[in-house]
């Protein structure tokens, strides 16, 4: 309907639509243009009033970038490296685990009894209270003892004919996606408390590579499962059935057939996940202090006693968004060439 409506427009209608699209492009591109322009201004050029065109309204300078290079505005290169290492690691791990989960949801039928989930909740909570309050274990020790026991009991209970509803693959998928419905501040605060308790056992997770990476893996898994499930559904099952006839194990079918056929979708999902992790602010704010701070924290901290120094903020932000602009260009080329198929709908 929408395509027929556009092709049926008169010449004036098409011109009006073109003007509207152009106006919208200008509105969306102006903030990026303003960041680029501000990054090349001197402090007097920023506070002295709005200027728009380099070499006409103002004389551009590289001083904000020089300050970044010399570390005057913070250890920019270290935080850039932190974002790169954590982002690549978290995106790769989340894509690998999420792809396996998505493939399992597409090719295998799961039945999770609601009663087994209720048993897990009761045993985990009750076991934690028992170990902590009655047996004298510390809170981290109580967590490490209660949750594996509750999980094992729930797996065994799921094989029993318990009363109540049975959840299928679609319910499990909805559960994955629903994890993104929680307010991030609640999750970040809970993770901070959990990491603090684990730190008392000698495993430092706050302001560490492992802690931040694990957080981002859990944060990204729902997106990966959701995207890759649609892509795996687009792969014809006949290819896998032909391999099953030759008694090829499931893991070899997945690694040797499914993964190569879905490489474009995996790459696209990896880049989308990396973009989410790269731009994430709240978890990095809660879970890092100084050693493993990421770029969003550094950009937000570009201020002084005189207030926000927008020339420094713009220079740092411009360098930070360049990798994401490159990835957006690569993704757009893949989408235009039709390589993603069912990975993005």
């Amino acid at each position: 309907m929408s395509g027929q409506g556009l092709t049926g427009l008169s010449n004036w209608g098409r011109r009006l639509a073109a003007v509207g699209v152009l106006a919208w492009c200008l509105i969306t591109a102006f903030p990026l243009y303003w960041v680029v322009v501000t990054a090349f201004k001197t402090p007097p050029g920023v506070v002295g009033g709005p200027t728009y065109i380099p070499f006409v309204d103002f004389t551009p300078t590289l001083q904000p970038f020089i300050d970044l290079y010399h570390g005057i505005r913070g250890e920019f290169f270290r935080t850039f490296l932190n974002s790169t290492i954590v982002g690549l690691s978290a995106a790769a791990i989340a894509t690998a685990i999420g792809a396996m989960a998505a493939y399992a949801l597409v090719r295998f039928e799961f039945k999770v009894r609601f009663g087994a989930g209720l048993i897990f909740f009761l045993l985990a909570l009750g076991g934690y209270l028992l170990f902590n309050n009655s047996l004298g274990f510390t809170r981290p020790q109580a967590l490490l003892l209660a949750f594996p026991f509750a999980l094992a009991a729930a797996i065994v209970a799921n094989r029993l004919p318990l009363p109540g509803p049975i959840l299928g693959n679609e319910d499990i998928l909805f559960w994955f996606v629903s994890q993104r419905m929680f307010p991030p501040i609640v999750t970040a605060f809970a993770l901070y408390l959990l990491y603090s308790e684990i730190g008392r056992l000698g495993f430092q997770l706050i302001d560490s590579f492992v802690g931040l990476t694990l957080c981002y893996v859990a944060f990204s898994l729902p997106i990966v499962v959701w995207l890759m499930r649609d892509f795996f559904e687009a792969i014809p099952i006949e290819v896998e059935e032909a391999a099953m006839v030759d008694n090829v194990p499931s893991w070899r079918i997945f690694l040797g057939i499914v993964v190569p056929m879905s490489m474009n979708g995996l790459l696209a999902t990896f880049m989308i996940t990396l973009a989410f992790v790269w731009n994430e602010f709240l978890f990095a704010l809660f879970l890092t202090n100084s050693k493993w701070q990421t770029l969003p924290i550094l950009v937000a901290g570009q201020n002084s006693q005189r207030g926000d120094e927008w020339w420094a903020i713009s220079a740092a932000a411009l360098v930070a968004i360049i990798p994401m602009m490159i990835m957006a260009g690569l993704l757009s080329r893949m989408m235009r060439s039709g390589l993603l198929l069912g990975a993005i709908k």
Side-chain angles (χ1 to χ4, degrees), residues 76 79 131 256 316 319:
F76 181 83
T79 55
F131 289 128
V319 178

Side-chain angles (χ1 to χ4, degrees), residues 155-171:
I155 293 175
V156 174
N158 193 60
R159 298 178 179 272
L160 302 177
L162 299 176
I166 298 178
L167 307 180
N169 289 30
E170 293 297 326
D171 301 300

Side-chain angles (χ1 to χ4, degrees), residues 214-250:
L214 288 177
C215 167
Y216 284 147
V217 169
F219 169 76
S220 304
L221 274 177
I223 301 174
V224 176
V225 173
W226 180 47
L227 292 175
M228 290 306 304
R229 178 179 178 272
D230 288 337
F231 190 86
F232 288 140
E233 283 185 336
I235 297 178
I237 194 174
E238 291 78 10
V239 179
E240 301 170 46
E241 291 176 342
M244 292 179 185
V245 173
D246 296 331
N247 295 323
V248 179
S250 298

Side-chain angles (χ1 to χ4, degrees), residues 52-335:
Y52 303 94
I53 305 176
F55 299 105
V56 177
D57 291 338
F58 67 95
T59 301
T61 178
L62 294 176
Q63 191 60 43
F65 297 95
I66 296 174
D67 292 344
L68 283 178
Y69 177 78
H70 290 291
I72 297 177
R73 302 297 177 185
E75 299 183 28
F76 181 83
F77 289 101
R78 181 174 63 82
T79 55
F80 188 93
L81 185 61
N82 289 346
S83 290
T84 303
I85 295 175
V86 171
L88 291 175
S89 301
I93 296 173
T95 302
I97 297 176
M100 290 187 286
Y103 178 75
L105 288 175
V106 171
R107 293 293 187 253
F108 304 100
E109 183 180 0
F110 293 91
K111 294 181 179 180
V112 179
R113 299 182 183 275
F114 180 79
L118 186 60
I119 289 175
F120 170 79
F121 174 76
L122 293 176
L123 289 180
L125 180 59
Y128 169 77
L129 295 176
L130 175 66
F131 289 128
N132 182 236
N133 297 333
S134 301
L135 301 181
F137 288 92
T138 63
R139 283 181 291 183
Q141 291 172 339
L143 285 172
L144 293 177
L145 290 173
F147 276 80
F149 172 75
L151 180 62
I155 293 175
V156 174
N158 193 60
R159 298 178 179 272
L160 302 177
L162 299 176
I166 298 178
L167 307 180
N169 289 30
E170 293 297 326
D171 301 300
I172 297 173
L173 178 65
F174 176 78
W175 180 83
F176 270 109
V177 177
S178 68
Q179 305 307 302
R180 296 302 302 271
M181 299 180 185
F182 288 104
I185 185 65
V186 176
T187 307
F189 185 68
L191 274 176
Y192 177 80
L193 294 178
L194 178 62
Y195 282 8
S196 298
E197 294 295 338
I198 295 176
R200 296 179 182 179
L201 294 177
F203 302 98
Q204 184 64 34
L205 293 179
I206 294 179
D207 201 23
S208 69
F209 165 75
V210 174
L212 195 59
T213 301
L214 288 177
C215 167
Y216 284 147
V217 169
F219 169 76
S220 304
L221 274 177
I223 301 174
V224 176
V225 173
W226 180 47
L227 292 175
M228 290 306 304
R229 178 179 178 272
D230 288 337
F231 190 86
F232 288 140
E233 283 185 336
I235 297 178
I237 194 174
E238 291 78 10
V239 179
E240 301 170 46
E241 291 176 342
M244 292 179 185
V245 173
D246 296 331
N247 295 323
V248 179
S250 298
W251 65 270
R252 287 189 60 187
I253 293 175
F254 177 74
L255 295 178
I257 298 176
V258 177
V259 169
M261 292 180 64
S262 60
M263 188 57 65
N264 293 314
L266 289 169
L267 180 60
T269 303
F270 170 81
M271 290 192 292
I272 292 173
T273 305
L274 178 59
F276 275 104
V277 174
W278 185 274
N279 296 318
E280 203 285 321
F281 175 81
L282 187 63
F283 290 112
L285 179 65
F286 269 78
L287 302 179
T288 61
N289 296 323
S290 58
K291 183 179 179 181
W292 281 95
Q293 281 188 346
T294 55
L295 276 177
I297 306 300
L298 178 71
V299 173
Q302 296 297 310
N303 52 28
S304 66
Q305 297 178 351
R306 295 170 294 183
D308 295 326
E309 298 185 349
W310 294 108
W311 54 93
I313 295 175
S314 299
L318 182 60
V319 178
I321 64 178
I322 287 176
M324 295 301 101
M325 294 178 63
I326 296 174
M327 286 181 49
L330 293 175
L331 270 177
S332 64
R333 290 190 61 184
M334 293 176 66
M335 294 175 69

